[in-house]
Amino acid sequence: MATLAPTTRLSNGVHIPVIGLGTWQAAPGEVQRAVAHAIDVGYRHIDCAAYYRNEAEVGAAIRRKVDDGVVRREELFVTSKLWGTDHRPDRVLAACATSLRNFGLDYLDLYLVHSPMALKVGQEGSDVEVEGATAFDDVDFLETWRSVELCAERGLARSVGVSNFNSRQLDRVLEDGAVPPVVNQVECHAHLNQKRLTAFCADRGVLVTAYSPLASPARPWAAPADPLPLRDPRVAAVAARHGRTPAQVLLRYLIQLGTVPIPKSVSASRIRENFRIFDFQLSAADVAALDGLDCDGRLFVFPE
Ligand SMILES: NC(=O)C1=CN([C@@H]2O[C@H](COP(=O)(O)OP(=O)(O)OC[C@H]3O[C@@H](n4cnc5c(N)ncnc54)[C@H](OP(=O)(O)O)[C@@H]3O)[C@@H](O)[C@H]2O)C=CC1
Ligand SMILES: O=C1CO[C@H](CO)[C@@H](O)[C@@H]1O
């Protein structure tokens, strides 16, 4: 039996494992094996999105593990996200149902609004670009949120939340919505540790899940701030003190800050490495040293 990760309680009483497997850029042909391996290692939380175009393969891995008796569906925590082209009230329920069909699952554990901004719909439902930039659409996320609430009310998703929302946007949903978001998934790593937003969210019962927790070394654009945390000598020093790898230290740091990291990997050894972070603890001095890396180093910029 694999050792499992601890869980933390969301404001609606549902428990979420404090580490998840990311699946963005996990290509068809490799993501199924990665998810299956992660479940064997002990991951019970998988972060997905319609936008990643691999829900069917992720679902195939999950269903296989359930059919083989390795895990029960109710022990898993599967997240997906509403993409911007479906970010309008009349498309949400259908988009959520499509994700469920892709996975071959009856319900999601968490359905997130991927971003506060809606996108214009092009041919075949894709995003459109205007002069090389993504074309945003003028839909108020509060309107979309009402339909996201229906996903929860109708049992398509056990919990609902948001992603890439700033504090003002989050407060609007909390003040206006009937069902409060339980999670805000945002970029969060040693270069952008999001302490202020995490405290703001915690005050309101919203858990931060930390995307790009290793600062997304394979993202399709250049790093604005180098060295990457994974190659930073200050991280290496903490790692050496604990006999750990830089990735383990960076993930452990985010957990000790009260966030839930969702590192992506399709490598069997790195999937295992990233999960082995529950048998050591960073000291206050280690955390202070890692706090020193914060440089407002945002990688995903949303000027809109
Ligand atoms: N809500 C949102 O808007 C967003 C959500 N996300 C979510 O967050 C997840 C994680 O973020 P992501 O941007 O993928 O970046 P991560 O910070 O998780 O980095 C992933 C990259 O690091 C490599 N890697 C993984 N583990 C290690 C390790 N131990 N040592 C060295 N390299 C390692 C991976 O390569 P390899 O696979 O070869 O191991 C991959 O290239 C996404 O997959 C997605 O699920 C991400 C961006 C935006
Ligand atoms: O989840 C995501 C993965 O990366 C994309 C950038 O190409 C983001 O837009 C998106 O939010």
Side-chain angles (χ1 to χ4, degrees):
M1 238 300 261
T3 306
L4 303 184
T7 62
T8 190
R9 195 171 172 278
L10 299 170
S11 62
N12 61 357
V14 171
H15 283 257
I16 180 173
V18 301
I19 187 164
L21 180 76
T23 60
W24 176 45
Q25 294 182 307
E30 54 186 19
V31 69
Q32 189 167 339
R33 207 171 38 240
V35 171
H37 178 66
I39 291 173
D40 287 341
V41 164
Y43 287 76
R44 293 293 179 265
H45 169 185
I46 317 287
D47 183 78
C48 315
Y51 177 68
Y52 306 158
R53 296 183 190 276
N54 55 14
E55 289 175 320
E57 287 204 26
V58 172
I62 290 173
R63 284 182 283 111
R64 181 70 191 269
K65 287 294 168 190
V66 171
D67 290 347
D68 288 352
V70 175
V71 69
R72 293 199 311 271
R73 168 65 186 98
E74 56 273 25
E75 293 167 337
L76 292 169
F77 192 97
V78 182
T79 300
S80 194
K81 311 187 193 93
L82 175 80
W83 187 238
T85 45
D86 288 316
H87 189 315
R88 50 206 90 234
D90 57 329
R91 292 180 72 119
V92 174
L93 279 166
C96 188
T98 300
S99 283
L100 286 174
R101 220 172 16 254
N102 289 341
F103 286 115
L105 297 177
D106 299 334
Y107 67 92
L108 293 171
D109 294 277
L110 179 63
Y111 196 44
L112 301 177
V113 179
H114 206 134
S115 145
M117 293 92 62
L119 300 177
K120 285 203 193 309
V121 185
Q123 281 174 352
E124 298 172 24
S126 62
D127 319 351
V128 287
E129 291 200 348
V130 176
E131 294 171 0
T134 309
F136 292 94
D137 209 353
D138 196 15
V139 180
D140 187 338
F141 52 76
L142 288 182
E143 298 299 319
T144 300
W145 184 254
R146 287 184 228 297
S147 297
V148 173
E149 292 174 336
L150 288 180
C151 295
E153 283 162 20
R154 296 190 186 173
L156 280 68
R158 288 183 71 198
S159 301
V160 287
V162 296
S163 177
N164 295 301
F165 275 51
N166 66 30
S167 53
R168 285 188 310 279
Q169 292 161 337
L170 184 62
D171 258 352
R172 278 191 77 211
V173 181
L174 287 165
E175 279 160 20
D176 207 84
V179 178
V182 294
V183 159
N184 187 14
Q185 181 178 122
V186 296
E187 178 182 345
C188 182
H189 44 74
H191 281 176
L192 181 73
N193 68 29
Q194 300 277 24
K195 278 192 179 182
R196 217 151 54 101
L197 183 61
T198 303
F200 179 93
C201 288
D203 275 352
R204 290 155 177 77
V206 177
L207 178 80
V208 165
T209 51
Y211 78 64
S212 303
L214 303 173
S216 202
R219 69 192 169 283
W221 57 90
D226 258 333
L228 273 172
L230 277 170
R231 292 195 287 269
D232 192 299
R234 290 166 292 181
V235 179
V238 177
R241 268 204 296 285
H242 290 274
R244 298 289 166 154
T245 66
Q248 289 172 323
V249 163
L250 292 166
L251 296 171
R252 179 75 212 179
Y253 170 65
L254 293 175
I255 286 177
Q256 289 189 214
L257 293 188
T259 72
V260 169
I262 46 170
K264 173 264 177 185
S265 181
V266 290
S267 138
S269 62
R270 288 193 285 270
I271 288 171
R272 190 177 289 276
E273 173 188 339
N274 295 345
F275 193 75
R276 286 199 174 146
I277 55 173
F278 300 108
D279 56 350
F280 78 109
Q281 193 144 16
L282 300 172
S283 67
D286 295 330
V287 170
L290 295 166
D291 284 348
L293 273 76
D294 189 67
C295 56
D296 200 19
R298 190 181 294 277
L299 304 166
F300 294 76
V301 181
F302 300 98
E304 299 77 14

